[in-house]
Amino acid sequence: MTITATEAVPHPPPGYDPPLWLVTMPTTDATGARGEQTFAVRAVTHAAALAAAESTAFAHPALRHRRGAHIDPSAAYATLHH
C-alpha cells in the first residue's frame, strides 16, 4: 500500500516516533544487472520518507554497499512498515 500525503502535516510533538517507511529504489550495475536497495526511514509523510531515503542513498555507507551501481531515486516507492 502506498500512501501519498496531499496536505501539510504539523510537526509532531516531542517524543513522538514517526512511522517507519520502507523505501525501495532500483539499481543497475556496470554490467546492466538490475537490483534494488531498500532504506528504512522514519517520516511523518510519504514525501518526507522519499526525501529522507534519497539523502541516505547518496551517503557513503549506501554508496559502498552498492559497489558502484547506479541508483534511480526517481523510481523509488515507499510503503508503511507495520
Side-chain angles (χ1 to χ4, degrees):
M1 172 190 342
T2 301
I3 299 174
T4 304
T6 56
E7 297 181 11
V9 177
H11 292 289
Y16 172 73
D17 201 14
L20 181 65
W21 295 82
L22 300 178
V23 181
T24 302
M25 299 181 194
T27 61
T28 307
D29 73 8
T31 67
R34 295 177 183 221
E36 295 179 328
Q37 189 169 13
T38 300
F39 302 89
V41 297
R42 292 206 175 271
V44 176
T45 65
H46 179 264
L50 291 173
E54 184 172 353
S55 66
T56 303
F58 294 101
H60 181 68
L63 289 169
R64 185 178 62 235
H65 181 76
R66 281 197 305 279
R67 299 181 188 162
H70 170 75
I71 195 161
D72 184 6
S74 67
Y77 59 93
T79 56
L80 277 172
H81 180 68
H82 296 281

